[in-house]
Amino acid sequence: MRFAVSMMQGLVKGPASRRLSWSRRTALAALAVAGLGAPAQAQTLASLPTEAGARVQGDAKPIAAWVTFCQNYAAECALDRGEPARISLTPATWATIVSVNRRVNKAVEPMTDQDHLHVADRWDLAEDGIGDCEDFQLLKRHMLAEAGLPRRAMRMTVVIDEKGEGHAVLTLITDRGDLVLDNKTNAILPWHKTGYVFIKRESQDAVAWVSLGGVTSPVTTANR
């Protein structure tokens, strides 16, 4: 993933609904193969602590490529304030989350936008099976929303990673605290145990971004 100052170039041609149809078919197929009713093998719901969520500290500037993504995939950015603001974690819901996280991490080939598309930053749903960090997380959210989880409680998030670089993860806001889905690991961790510095994430109340208090907001990232 590379966050860029300028708006991204070289958008995929064709209507968003046509582009989305591929990912929807892929999502449903992957969910079926994953076996949503099966118990999570590596992590258990009972092992999760009950934690406080990250504290929102005001408005933040959106990522430029996210703005373009929302123009082309409006349904992926739509926010329904009638949806629950938190995910109620049940064994079935937890198994779904674990399965989708593992499935996408395995299925998508990691590659930076620069290497893949020769652009600094583009957000999409890894329609061709290749993507960088934000594409992994956007596809996971799409699949989880298809499985019935509230999109409002699944927020794209910008962090500074262990290399001091910008990185995108997906924050699940749950009744057990904020949990992080990441393409670097299959482990689903409480936000404050990732080792990342949390900068900002999508708002739960508007199609906008909010600050999480990190002192530095990345302009570009080089992570796959």
Side-chain angles (χ1 to χ4, degrees), residues 18-210:
R18 185 175 180 181
R19 294 198 304 273
L20 195 56
S21 64
W22 181 94
S23 61
R24 182 169 287 117
R25 291 196 302 270
T26 301
L28 294 174
L31 289 174
V33 172
L36 294 181
Q41 295 180 354
Q43 289 179 280
T44 65
L45 178 59
S47 70
L48 289 177
T50 299
E51 306 277 0
R55 182 178 177 184
V56 172
Q57 300 189 20
D59 297 335
K61 184 178 180 180
I63 298 299
W66 172 87
V67 174
T68 307
F69 171 79
C70 291
Q71 292 170 352
N72 291 279
Y73 298 79
E76 297 297 313
C77 295
L79 189 138
D80 180 1
R81 294 190 65 178
E83 283 190 325
R86 293 185 178 184
I87 297 166
S88 296
L89 288 179
T90 65
T93 300
W94 177 245
T96 299
I97 293 167
V98 171
S99 295
V100 168
N101 189 54
R102 287 180 173 272
R103 189 72 183 177
V104 173
N105 283 353
K106 181 179 180 180
V108 176
E109 179 184 350
M111 187 180 298
T112 66
D113 288 329
Q114 192 64 54
D115 291 340
H116 178 207
L117 302 166
H118 309 295
V119 296
D121 192 20
R122 188 170 90 185
W123 289 36
D124 59 36
L125 296 170
E127 283 90 345
D128 62 357
I130 300 172
D132 58 5
C133 52
E134 80 280 346
D135 306 323
F136 279 82
Q137 317 321 331
L138 289 166
L139 180 56
K140 290 173 189 177
R141 179 167 69 181
H142 174 76
M143 294 171 67
L144 290 169
E146 288 281 341
L149 276 68
R151 189 181 303 276
R152 185 185 180 197
M154 299 184 287
R155 300 288 82 193
M156 290 295 293
T157 305
V158 174
V159 302
I160 301 296
D161 70 3
E162 73 283 354
K163 299 178 181 178
E165 298 174 342
H167 181 52
V169 297
L170 182 63
T171 298
L172 304 187
I173 301 167
T174 81
D175 56 2
R176 303 287 287 270
D178 292 355
L179 304 177
V180 171
L181 273 58
D182 193 349
N183 59 296
K184 293 185 177 186
T185 176
N186 287 330
I188 299 171
L189 300 175
W191 70 279
H192 63 90
K193 293 186 178 179
T194 61
Y196 297 155
V197 177
F198 281 69
I199 306 299
K200 55 188 177 182
R201 75 184 181 203
E202 292 172 302
S203 172
Q204 287 194 286
D205 298 312
V207 183
W209 285 67
V210 293

